Amino acid sequence: MSAVLNIDGFLSPGGPLTTFRDVFGGQNRMGWGPGRFHVSLVLKTEARPFPPGPEVLPPPRSTPKTNHRARAGRRRRLIGGFVRTRASQAHAVPASRGVGEEERERRRNTMEETSSLCNHTFWPSDGGFHYNNIAHRSQKLITYLNPAIPTQPMPLTVVLHGPAGVGKTTVAKKLMLDWTQNGLAQAVHSAFYLSCKDLSHRGMCTFAELIAAAGPAAREAVPQLPALAQEILLVVDGFEELRVPSGALVRDLCGDLKQPKPVAVLLGSLLRRKMLPRATLVITTRPGALRELRLLAEQPLFVEIEGFLEPDKKAYFLEHFGEERQALRAFALMKGNAALFRLGSAPAVCRIVCTCLKAQMEGGEDPASTCQTTTSLFLRFLCSQFAPAPGACPRPRLQAALRAACLLAAEGAWTQTSVFDGDDLGRLGLTPSALCPFLDKQILQKSGDCGGCYSFVHLSVQQLLAAMVYVLETEEEEEAAAAGGEAGSCTWDIGDVQKLLSKEERRKNPDLTRVGSFLFGLLNEERARELETTFGCRVSGAVRRELLKCRSESDGNGPFSSMMDAKEMLHWLHESQEEQLVKDAMAHVQEIAVHLTSAFEMGEASFCLKHCQDLRKISLQVGKRIFLENDADAEVDRSQHDQHSLQVWVDLCSVFSSNENLLFLDVRDSVLSRSSVRILCEHITHATCHLQKVVIKNISPADAYRDFCLAFIGKKTLTHLVLEGNVHSDKMLLLLLCEILKHARCNLQYLRLGSCSDTTQQWADFSSALKINQSLKCLDLTASEFLDEGVKLLCATLRHPKCSLQKLSLEDCQLTEACCKELSSALIVNQRLTHLCLAKNNLGDRGVKLLCEGLSYPECQLQTLVLHHCSINRHGCKYISKLLQGDCSLTSLDLGFNPIATGLYFLCEALKKPNCKLKCLGLWGCSITPFSCQDLASALLSNQSLETLDLGQNILGQSGITALLEALKQKHGPLKTLRLKADESTEIQRMAEAVREDNPQLTIEWNHAGTRRSSCCDFLS
């Protein structure tokens, strides 16, 4: 069963507590069984403040009461069509009765232990944020986590997942607190917390010893664990921090609480329900470990913790800033950077952004450049914590501390660790005293969950410091630079730059992607000066050279193409804000495909493409909701939204009028607006725009095609134009195309107009324009509706002495037998037409007969004829055979997907004749049998011209393929390419290899199921 639950709520320490029962309790009204299903629970958590130090990060002020009332009206939505209702009120949980004094005392101790544990994680109210109880956003849909219901069908494993810092641990510990405080569990101690960081360093032990390590009350509860059954709650926190050998979690599973085992075996036994099978598990993890958990956990319930959503981020900014104008400006700056805005789901990031921007505003600085990239924001935050006094030099101790912090961060990034203990520090030769400046400023914080453990204030800060490892000069480099010698190499045990940029490494370790982005950001000269001024560390130029070396060693499809896709490349180069680096990196890029999903990505593409002077082709795809002008359902101010988007779009479109080397534009599957289309068209019409090929396919709004046609009138550089998609709905389009064709400066050679349906008069005007135009050589009218009168007009154009068309496609145009008669007469007169595609028209054998009559005339110069999917049978093959045996100019014939098995004999007879000129014969999917292969084999022995034979997707059997291969082995004819349906038979493969060795010029291609048909007559590409 599959469902997605989306609950808007807010975990508010300052407001009423959200109970475990409120979120997960109540009756099972929906009848959900014990199957696997996915629930996305949006829990928006309040900001976790940094430890004391108002000069570092001042807390926001309280929220007005109106916020509470405004949010009370939100509705919980169950996506997927299950339910859409308003929330019900939470129910009070009755306290347990009949508990003895000793029992109550032990219970109080238990709750104190749990509360103490939670206090290390809960974010205390720093002035308010009185948001409504989560229970007011939901009904009681899930019963699994309520131990008060004895008929629970099965225990539940809940996986709380989300990016770093959004509150997964907070939610898990809040559930523990509710479990012990609200009378749900009748045991003395039934909620236990296990840190995966701690587990990674444990040796051989029993599961009872793991539980007992939680405290005195836990030790007392160990003997009762088997009897507690479903009243046990186990929180396994930070699954991504677990470091165990590969496969260790699924080997030697054990259910004995007192049997010593490696920690990996104990945890795997818990996840696989061998250990404490009736207990409830809550596991927290970042997204990178989700795949492993899906495979390990027994029927898990996945709950996504998203942290701050956009309204909450905005509210947070309003609370943090004293002035609304400043708050909205700061919020707009963060929102303008899509990557930074996503990170803002973590309250700590919102606090960092607010702190930096507020300090700049109060100092009279313009904060716009700070939010331009993620690197600039986090570096400004870091440097602001250690800014030296005016005129003072950075302290040497601070420089050493930076190097230590960078080394620790890099080690964590490469080992996917964000919580460090004494062993981690010792392995790197570090001590807490070496990190004192970062501990004092709370950049590196002591962890409350693991004794003697440390973590950075946010994962992004750790990733920034990890990137600094690659750019800071080592002591050896500084000494070499002072002596005029060569720089020494890094000896730290972390991956080099090339490994950092490797797709394979970043696929295994997604955290490295952000490190790579910060690395590019640190190559900016201004940021290098900021780093040097603050910490006294010099930035090395070696990493820049190393990056450019990686670019030059890519596979030829673009810079770093073997390491990243185009979007990632543009993002990283934009992060640098170094124009010269972009020019060097993009120096040899000639073709790029960009899929834009936000205005920020559009800005990234604009910044890079403007410095790509050798660019020849741009493929552009613009996603939804970048432009809202034509979006009637948009809930925001469309004009204000589009004002920013259009400014960035103007900058991007300037590439077309500023780059004289740019020749090819492909815009498809894009949602534009009228304004954005007009801006693009303005740049296309500019005299410095030298576009030769333009493809416009499946774009909106529908009238955009009309604007493009207006822009192309008189565009003398344009030689190829493709218009496909909603063209059938614009009755003016054919008229505008006529104006393009009739213009004196028209040099259009190729025109493809897909799915056009117009009146007879409009086709008459189009036919007249074709008679006037002398440049058009190739016309593709696939899927257009002509009717018989329209075809007559087109054929009259073909008969006109000034018609210059050489290639014509009328594929899927609903042509009839009468159309074939008109075409046949045109083929007799026209001596320029060499390629004709009539595929996917129900011509039948009679239509083929009429065509063959025209083709048989010596005046006809047609060389390529495409007739796949034309309902041709045995009699049609007879007519074609007779044609090929006469004085016919045809050299390529595609009969794919026609049931011609019984007529193949006639085609083979034609192939045997010495005057047959056919070089390419396509018989893909023609139901050819093994028996017919004998005729083909005989023809191959006699034929003197055939170079390509396509028999793909025909079941020829071993006997049929053997007959063909034997014929090819006997005679080395002109055949160069043979396509066959894949056959894995060892004997067949052995014979094919022998034929290839004996005839090196022959290529045998094997087509597997699902392989796209490759026609030998694709002449309109």
Side-chain angles (χ1 to χ4, degrees):
M1 185 173 185
S2 177
V4 177
L5 179 64
N6 187 43
I7 302 176
D8 289 339
F10 213 99
L11 181 60
S12 174
L17 285 177
T18 301
T19 68
F20 201 40
R21 174 195 273 276
D22 291 334
V23 182
F24 295 103
Q27 297 299 316
N28 186 351
R29 300 176 184 272
M30 300 184 65
W32 289 0
R36 177 188 291 268
F37 55 93
H38 176 93
V39 175
S40 175
L41 177 64
V42 181
L43 295 177
K44 296 175 293 183
T45 50
E46 183 183 306
R48 177 182 185 177
F50 296 111
E55 74 285 357
V56 177
L57 295 167
R61 292 196 297 273
S62 60
T63 305
K65 293 182 179 180
T66 53
N67 283 352
H68 176 85
R69 296 192 185 100
R71 285 177 172 78
R74 288 185 183 172
R75 292 186 298 172
R76 188 260 308 123
R77 302 179 301 281
L78 183 62
I79 301 174
F82 286 107
V83 69
R84 180 183 288 270
T85 60
R86 290 192 178 275
S88 62
Q89 298 295 324
H91 295 270
V93 181
S96 58
R97 300 182 182 182
V99 181
E101 185 62 33
E102 182 180 350
E103 175 81 5
R104 283 196 292 269
E105 179 64 26
R106 292 161 72 182
R107 183 178 293 274
R108 277 195 297 270
N109 293 338
T110 294
M111 289 190 292
E112 286 175 5
E113 282 186 16
T114 307
S115 299
S116 175
L117 179 68
C118 294
N119 285 338
H120 290 302
T121 303
F122 285 163
W123 299 331
S125 176
D126 52 0
F129 276 77
H130 303 291
Y131 289 92
N132 212 16
N133 195 306
I134 294 176
H136 292 257
R137 306 290 183 259
S138 64
Q139 286 185 326
K140 297 168 182 61
L141 298 172
I142 305 173
T143 64
Y144 294 122
L145 292 186
N146 189 352
I149 300 177
T151 57
Q152 178 174 316
M154 65 175 297
L156 179 66
T157 298
V158 178
V159 178
L160 305 179
H161 65 94
V166 295
K168 302 180 294 297
T169 300
T170 298
V171 173
K173 290 183 177 179
K174 183 63 169 64
L175 298 181
M176 286 182 65
L177 189 62
D178 289 341
W179 189 276
T180 57
Q181 284 187 340
N182 290 298
L184 293 179
Q186 303 303 314
V188 175
H189 193 289
S190 56
F192 304 96
Y193 175 84
L194 300 174
S195 166
C196 284
K197 179 64 179 180
D198 279 347
L199 295 181
S200 297
H201 294 282
R202 290 293 296 262
M204 188 83 72
C205 65
T206 67
F207 193 82
E209 289 170 346
L210 280 184
I211 296 297
R219 285 193 292 273
E220 293 178 10
V222 167
Q224 305 178 47
L225 287 180
L228 293 176
Q230 68 184 50
E231 291 151 0
I232 297 174
L233 171 67
L234 285 156
V235 170
V236 180
D237 191 28
F239 184 78
E240 74 281 353
E241 295 281 349
L242 190 66
R243 298 292 171 264
V244 295
S246 177
L249 293 170
V250 294
R251 296 195 198 108
D252 193 25
L253 300 183
C254 169
D256 188 347
L257 293 171
K258 298 181 179 180
Q259 184 175 357
K261 290 284 185 180
V263 167
V265 172
L266 298 176
L267 184 57
S269 302
L270 186 65
L271 294 174
R272 301 297 295 175
R273 293 295 179 182
K274 297 293 183 183
M275 188 77 69
L276 299 178
R278 299 179 64 190
T280 297
L281 302 182
V282 174
I283 306 167
T284 72
T285 185
R286 295 208 293 267
L290 273 180
R291 182 176 179 274
E292 186 177 4
L293 272 175
R294 290 180 190 277
L295 298 174
L296 284 172
E298 289 289 325
Q299 303 208 354
L301 179 71
F302 289 94
V303 180
E304 183 180 6
I305 310 298
E306 290 192 345
F308 276 176
L309 301 183
E310 181 172 342
D312 313 310
K313 297 172 191 175
K314 187 174 183 179
Y316 189 91
F317 273 66
L318 289 169
E319 290 304 310
H320 190 97
F321 284 82
E323 185 180 339
E324 182 179 0
R325 182 183 61 82
Q326 288 185 341
L328 294 178
R329 171 90 196 287
F331 178 73
L333 288 174
M334 185 178 78
K335 188 177 179 181
N337 184 329
L340 185 59
F341 197 65
R342 283 193 298 271
L343 289 174
S345 297
V349 173
C350 281
R351 180 64 66 85
I352 288 172
V353 175
C354 287
T355 301
C356 287
L357 301 190
K358 185 176 183 181
Q360 285 187 279
M361 290 179 179
E362 291 175 348
E365 296 181 62
D366 183 359
S369 61
T370 300
C371 283
Q372 194 170 25
T373 67
T374 309
T375 307
S376 59
L377 187 283
F378 280 99
L379 184 63
R380 172 58 67 96
F381 162 72
L382 189 64
C383 291
S384 68
Q385 306 306 305
F386 301 101
C393 296
R395 294 166 293 168
R397 181 167 173 261
L398 181 58
Q399 187 178 128
L402 176 65
R403 294 188 187 281
C406 291
L407 181 57
L408 182 65
E411 178 78 7
W414 280 94
T415 59
Q416 301 184 61
T417 301
S418 57
V419 181
F420 308 92
D421 59 18
D423 290 342
D424 296 323
L425 269 64
R427 189 172 60 255
L428 298 172
L430 302 177
T431 61
S433 60
L435 298 163
C436 267
F438 286 83
L439 288 167
D440 293 343
K441 292 292 185 179
Q442 304 298 325
I443 304 300
L444 188 65
Q445 301 176 342
K446 287 188 176 180
S447 171
D449 300 332
C450 309
C453 290
Y454 305 88
S455 61
F456 289 94
V457 68
H458 187 264
L459 184 61
S460 295
V461 175
Q462 177 183 336
Q463 291 162 345
L464 172 66
L465 289 167
M468 289 183 188
V469 163
Y470 297 94
V471 300
L472 294 180
E473 286 188 350
T474 63
E475 293 178 2
E476 292 84 356
E477 286 178 315
E478 291 175 350
E479 292 172 2
E486 294 295 326
S489 61
C490 177
T491 58
W492 293 333
D493 188 22
I494 56 176
D496 59 16
V497 170
Q498 192 157 2
K499 193 173 182 181
L500 174 66
L501 301 184
S502 162
K503 280 182 180 179
E504 183 180 354
E505 289 294 330
R506 289 184 290 114
R507 192 180 297 114
K508 292 187 295 186
N509 183 356
D511 288 348
L512 295 180
T513 298
R514 176 62 61 186
V515 177
S517 176
F518 281 130
L519 173 60
F520 274 79
L522 291 171
L523 298 180
N524 181 275
E525 291 185 5
E526 184 177 339
R527 289 174 205 138
R529 286 194 297 270
E530 187 176 7
L531 197 56
E532 185 171 345
T533 301
T534 305
F535 296 97
C537 296
R538 296 181 60 181
V539 174
S540 172
V543 67
R544 185 178 185 131
R545 294 190 293 272
E546 183 69 17
L547 287 173
L548 295 177
K549 180 182 177 183
C550 293
R551 177 217 65 182
S552 62
E553 292 175 354
S554 60
D555 59 14
N557 295 321
F560 315 108
S561 55
S562 60
M563 301 177 175
M564 64 191 83
D565 57 27
K567 178 179 287 190
E568 198 169 45
M569 175 191 69
L570 296 176
H571 170 68
W572 285 12
L573 289 173
H574 173 268
E575 190 74 15
S576 75
Q577 288 297 297
E578 268 302 305
E579 295 185 4
Q580 190 56 51
L581 175 63
V582 177
K583 289 178 181 177
D584 293 340
M586 305 282 285
H588 303 295
V589 177
Q590 295 189 353
E591 185 174 326
I592 193 168
V594 183
H595 180 195
L596 304 175
T597 59
S598 68
F600 185 71
E601 290 180 357
M602 195 190 306
E604 292 177 331
S606 172
F607 176 79
C608 296
L609 296 183
K610 284 191 298 184
H611 301 297
C612 187
Q613 292 305 309
D614 204 29
L615 194 62
R616 300 287 194 273
K617 177 182 177 180
I618 294 180
S619 297
L620 199 59
Q621 183 180 350
V622 182
K624 296 179 180 180
R625 302 188 67 80
I626 294 181
F627 304 109
L628 301 180
E629 178 183 331
N630 305 115
D631 188 350
D633 298 327
E635 298 178 357
V636 299
D637 187 338
R638 287 184 287 173
S639 61
Q640 183 177 359
H641 176 277
D642 277 10
Q643 183 178 4
H644 170 66
S645 297
L646 290 174
Q647 287 175 351
V648 184
W649 179 250
V650 168
D651 204 33
L652 177 61
C653 290
S654 67
V655 173
F656 301 106
S657 56
S658 61
N659 189 338
E660 296 183 355
N661 293 318
L662 192 57
L663 305 177
F664 196 157
L665 170 62
D666 185 338
V667 184
R668 64 178 67 204
D669 303 323
S670 294
V671 182
L672 303 174
S673 64
R674 293 184 179 90
S675 298
S676 60
V677 170
R678 292 188 186 114
I679 290 170
L680 177 55
C681 290
E682 286 175 8
H683 286 276
I684 289 176
T685 57
H686 201 279
T688 56
C689 175
H690 294 166
L691 285 175
Q692 296 178 3
K693 298 181 180 181
V694 177
V695 176
I696 309 294
K697 186 174 182 179
N698 297 328
I699 66 169
S700 62
D703 56 8
Y705 293 91
R706 187 184 306 178
D707 291 329
F708 280 112
C709 286
L710 286 169
F712 297 144
I713 296 176
K715 187 70 177 176
K716 64 180 181 180
T717 62
L718 188 67
T719 59
H720 289 63
L721 176 61
V722 176
L723 300 174
E724 289 186 317
N726 297 321
V727 295
H728 62 276
S729 61
D730 194 340
K731 299 303 179 183
M732 290 289 294
L733 191 60
L734 210 58
L735 178 61
L736 292 171
L737 284 171
C738 292
E739 294 302 314
I740 293 175
L741 293 170
K742 291 188 293 185
H743 199 281
R745 290 189 294 179
C746 177
N747 287 314
L748 199 63
Q749 299 173 19
Y750 176 107
L751 174 62
R752 178 166 184 166
L753 182 62
S755 306
C756 191
S757 57
D758 290 271
T759 64
T760 301
Q761 182 57 50
Q762 288 170 322
W763 283 120
D765 295 337
F766 186 70
S767 298
S768 299
L770 291 176
K771 296 174 185 176
I772 297 172
N773 181 278
Q774 296 297 300
S775 64
L776 195 66
K777 300 295 185 292
C778 183
L779 176 62
D780 185 351
L781 298 173
T782 296
S784 295
E785 295 180 17
F786 285 100
L787 303 179
D788 290 350
E789 286 300 316
V791 174
K792 286 181 180 179
L793 291 167
L794 183 59
C795 290
T797 301
L798 292 175
R799 288 191 289 267
H800 194 277
K802 290 188 177 181
C803 178
S804 61
L805 285 179
Q806 297 174 3
K807 300 179 181 181
L808 174 64
S809 176
L810 300 176
E811 180 177 338
D812 194 21
C813 288
Q814 304 178 33
L815 302 185
T816 63
E817 182 181 322
C819 299
C820 291
K821 188 174 182 179
E822 291 290 336
L823 283 168
S824 182
S825 65
L827 291 172
I828 297 172
V829 177
N830 188 298
Q831 297 185 12
R832 290 191 178 93
L833 198 67
T834 59
H835 295 65
L836 178 63
C837 177
L838 301 175
K840 297 184 180 179
N841 290 291
N842 190 21
L843 305 181
D845 291 339
R846 291 179 59 83
V848 170
K849 180 182 179 182
L850 293 170
L851 284 173
C852 288
E853 289 176 0
L855 291 167
S856 63
Y857 278 76
E859 292 83 1
C860 178
Q861 299 300 309
L862 199 71
Q863 299 172 12
T864 299
L865 179 62
V866 181
L867 295 175
H868 67 78
H869 286 94
C870 286
S871 303
I872 301 171
N873 291 293
R874 175 185 175 88
H875 293 293
C877 289
K878 277 187 179 180
Y879 304 134
I880 294 173
S881 176
K882 183 179 178 181
L883 172 69
L884 294 175
Q885 295 179 54
D887 187 14
C888 173
S889 59
L890 273 185
T891 58
S892 296
L893 177 63
D894 187 351
L895 296 174
F897 294 107
N898 287 296
I900 63 172
T902 57
L904 184 60
Y905 167 79
F906 301 109
L907 295 177
C908 292
E909 287 302 304
L911 291 173
K912 295 176 184 179
K913 302 300 179 182
N915 58 340
C916 178
K917 302 174 184 176
L918 207 61
K919 294 183 178 180
C920 175
L921 178 59
L923 300 175
W924 178 288
C926 287
S927 305
I928 297 173
T929 64
F931 178 77
S932 303
C933 290
Q934 294 293 338
D935 296 324
L936 275 172
S938 177
L940 290 175
L941 288 172
S942 305
N943 184 270
Q944 300 176 15
S945 61
L946 196 65
E947 297 178 356
T948 300
L949 177 59
D950 189 350
L951 299 173
Q953 298 308 306
N954 288 289
I955 303 175
L956 306 180
Q958 185 168 344
S959 61
I961 296 177
T962 300
L964 293 172
L965 295 178
E966 286 290 350
L968 293 172
K969 193 173 183 180
Q970 289 181 38
K971 179 189 174 184
H972 295 177
L975 196 67
K976 296 179 180 178
T977 302
L978 174 63
R979 296 192 185 101
L980 299 170
K981 181 179 175 63
D983 191 307
E984 304 299 334
S985 167
T986 304
E987 181 64 21
I988 292 297
Q989 293 299 321
R990 184 188 63 78
M991 289 184 63
E993 185 62 31
V995 170
R996 282 194 294 265
E997 290 178 359
D998 195 44
N999 185 3
Q1001 72 169 2
L1002 177 63
T1003 300
I1004 300 178
E1005 298 178 1
W1006 300 96
N1007 298 127
H1008 297 270
T1011 302
R1012 185 178 178 182
R1013 189 180 75 93
S1014 178
S1015 174
C1016 58
C1017 303
D1018 287 338
F1019 59 88
L1020 290 174
S1021 57

mmCIF file of all heavy atoms in Angstrom, residues 566-579:
data_model
loop_
_atom_site.group_PDB
_atom_site.id
_atom_site.type_symbol
_atom_site.label_atom_id
_atom_site.label_comp_id
_atom_site.label_asym_id
_atom_site.label_seq_id
_atom_site.Cartn_x
_atom_site.Cartn_y
_atom_site.Cartn_z
ATOM 1 N N ALA A 566 25.895 18.954 -17.000
ATOM 2 C CA ALA A 566 25.992 20.373 -17.351
ATOM 3 C C ALA A 566 25.468 21.276 -16.241
ATOM 4 O O ALA A 566 26.068 22.301 -15.919
ATOM 5 C CB ALA A 566 25.224 20.632 -18.649
ATOM 6 N N LYS A 567 24.352 20.895 -15.615
ATOM 7 C CA LYS A 567 23.777 21.745 -14.577
ATOM 8 C C LYS A 567 24.734 21.883 -13.397
ATOM 9 O O LYS A 567 24.921 22.979 -12.853
ATOM 10 C CB LYS A 567 22.437 21.170 -14.116
ATOM 11 C CG LYS A 567 21.790 21.980 -13.003
ATOM 12 C CD LYS A 567 20.453 21.400 -12.593
ATOM 13 C CE LYS A 567 19.401 21.650 -13.640
ATOM 14 N NZ LYS A 567 18.037 21.307 -13.144
ATOM 15 N N GLU A 568 25.337 20.790 -13.004
ATOM 16 C CA GLU A 568 26.276 20.821 -11.887
ATOM 17 C C GLU A 568 27.504 21.650 -12.241
ATOM 18 O O GLU A 568 28.011 22.423 -11.426
ATOM 19 C CB GLU A 568 26.682 19.388 -11.544
ATOM 20 C CG GLU A 568 27.290 19.222 -10.169
ATOM 21 C CD GLU A 568 27.419 17.763 -9.787
ATOM 22 O OE1 GLU A 568 27.862 16.963 -10.627
ATOM 23 O OE2 GLU A 568 27.072 17.437 -8.647
ATOM 24 N N MET A 569 27.977 21.503 -13.470
ATOM 25 C CA MET A 569 29.136 22.271 -13.905
ATOM 26 C C MET A 569 28.840 23.768 -13.848
ATOM 27 O O MET A 569 29.649 24.561 -13.346
ATOM 28 C CB MET A 569 29.513 21.868 -15.336
ATOM 29 C CG MET A 569 30.646 22.686 -15.935
ATOM 30 S SD MET A 569 30.826 22.392 -17.698
ATOM 31 C CE MET A 569 29.326 23.148 -18.330
ATOM 32 N N LEU A 570 27.678 24.170 -14.357
ATOM 33 C CA LEU A 570 27.313 25.589 -14.344
ATOM 34 C C LEU A 570 27.176 26.099 -12.918
ATOM 35 O O LEU A 570 27.579 27.230 -12.612
ATOM 36 C CB LEU A 570 26.007 25.796 -15.110
ATOM 37 C CG LEU A 570 26.045 25.480 -16.609
ATOM 38 C CD1 LEU A 570 24.654 25.627 -17.221
ATOM 39 C CD2 LEU A 570 27.035 26.386 -17.331
ATOM 40 N N HIS A 571 26.605 25.282 -12.035
ATOM 41 C CA HIS A 571 26.444 25.701 -10.641
ATOM 42 C C HIS A 571 27.797 25.923 -9.980
ATOM 43 O O HIS A 571 28.018 26.934 -9.302
ATOM 44 C CB HIS A 571 25.651 24.648 -9.867
ATOM 45 C CG HIS A 571 25.627 24.873 -8.388
ATOM 46 N ND1 HIS A 571 24.970 25.937 -7.804
ATOM 47 C CD2 HIS A 571 26.221 24.194 -7.367
ATOM 48 C CE1 HIS A 571 25.131 25.895 -6.500
ATOM 49 N NE2 HIS A 571 25.895 24.851 -6.203
ATOM 50 N N TRP A 572 28.725 25.008 -10.173
ATOM 51 C CA TRP A 572 30.028 25.117 -9.518
ATOM 52 C C TRP A 572 30.824 26.282 -10.082
ATOM 53 O O TRP A 572 31.496 27.001 -9.328
ATOM 54 C CB TRP A 572 30.785 23.808 -9.681
ATOM 55 C CG TRP A 572 30.269 22.712 -8.787
ATOM 56 C CD1 TRP A 572 29.104 22.736 -8.075
ATOM 57 C CD2 TRP A 572 30.886 21.460 -8.505
ATOM 58 N NE1 TRP A 572 28.961 21.565 -7.371
ATOM 59 C CE2 TRP A 572 30.033 20.759 -7.612
ATOM 60 C CE3 TRP A 572 32.056 20.849 -8.913
ATOM 61 C CZ2 TRP A 572 30.334 19.491 -7.130
ATOM 62 C CZ3 TRP A 572 32.359 19.573 -8.430
ATOM 63 C CH2 TRP A 572 31.498 18.912 -7.549
ATOM 64 N N LEU A 573 30.770 26.473 -11.383
ATOM 65 C CA LEU A 573 31.504 27.605 -11.968
ATOM 66 C C LEU A 573 30.896 28.930 -11.518
ATOM 67 O O LEU A 573 31.618 29.896 -11.243
ATOM 68 C CB LEU A 573 31.500 27.509 -13.487
ATOM 69 C CG LEU A 573 32.376 26.393 -14.087
ATOM 70 C CD1 LEU A 573 32.156 26.305 -15.589
ATOM 71 C CD2 LEU A 573 33.852 26.646 -13.785
ATOM 72 N N HIS A 574 29.566 28.986 -11.431
ATOM 73 C CA HIS A 574 28.914 30.205 -10.948
ATOM 74 C C HIS A 574 29.286 30.471 -9.493
ATOM 75 O O HIS A 574 29.430 31.627 -9.077
ATOM 76 C CB HIS A 574 27.401 30.060 -11.083
ATOM 77 C CG HIS A 574 26.621 31.184 -10.467
ATOM 78 N ND1 HIS A 574 26.159 31.144 -9.168
ATOM 79 C CD2 HIS A 574 26.235 32.385 -10.970
ATOM 80 C CE1 HIS A 574 25.523 32.260 -8.897
ATOM 81 N NE2 HIS A 574 25.547 33.036 -9.969
ATOM 82 N N GLU A 575 29.456 29.413 -8.718
ATOM 83 C CA GLU A 575 29.811 29.565 -7.307
ATOM 84 C C GLU A 575 31.142 30.295 -7.161
ATOM 85 O O GLU A 575 31.366 31.008 -6.184
ATOM 86 C CB GLU A 575 29.879 28.180 -6.647
ATOM 87 C CG GLU A 575 29.992 28.198 -5.139
ATOM 88 C CD GLU A 575 28.698 28.578 -4.438
ATOM 89 O OE1 GLU A 575 27.622 28.562 -5.077
ATOM 90 O OE2 GLU A 575 28.761 28.885 -3.237
ATOM 91 N N SER A 576 32.020 30.141 -8.147
ATOM 92 C CA SER A 576 33.324 30.801 -8.065
ATOM 93 C C SER A 576 33.224 32.306 -8.280
ATOM 94 O O SER A 576 34.023 33.074 -7.732
ATOM 95 C CB SER A 576 34.275 30.207 -9.110
ATOM 96 O OG SER A 576 33.947 30.668 -10.409
ATOM 97 N N GLN A 577 32.273 32.749 -9.112
ATOM 98 C CA GLN A 577 32.162 34.162 -9.471
ATOM 99 C C GLN A 577 33.485 34.700 -10.015
ATOM 100 O O GLN A 577 33.785 35.884 -9.884
ATOM 101 C CB GLN A 577 31.700 34.990 -8.264
ATOM 102 C CG GLN A 577 30.244 34.775 -7.901
ATOM 103 C CD GLN A 577 29.282 35.203 -8.985
ATOM 104 O OE1 GLN A 577 29.209 36.373 -9.351
ATOM 105 N NE2 GLN A 577 28.533 34.251 -9.527
ATOM 106 N N GLU A 578 34.266 33.825 -10.644
ATOM 107 C CA GLU A 578 35.545 34.196 -11.254
ATOM 108 C C GLU A 578 35.414 34.095 -12.766
ATOM 109 O O GLU A 578 35.384 33.001 -13.325
ATOM 110 C CB GLU A 578 36.658 33.260 -10.781
ATOM 111 C CG GLU A 578 37.419 33.701 -9.574
ATOM 112 C CD GLU A 578 38.097 35.051 -9.694
ATOM 113 O OE1 GLU A 578 38.886 35.262 -10.635
ATOM 114 O OE2 GLU A 578 37.819 35.899 -8.850
ATOM 115 N N GLU A 579 35.328 35.229 -13.436
ATOM 116 C CA GLU A 579 35.100 35.225 -14.873
ATOM 117 C C GLU A 579 36.225 34.533 -15.632
ATOM 118 O O GLU A 579 35.975 33.787 -16.582
ATOM 119 C CB GLU A 579 34.915 36.660 -15.382
ATOM 120 C CG GLU A 579 33.669 37.340 -14.843
ATOM 121 C CD GLU A 579 33.459 38.712 -15.454
ATOM 122 O OE1 GLU A 579 34.250 39.088 -16.344
ATOM 123 O OE2 GLU A 579 32.507 39.403 -15.033
#
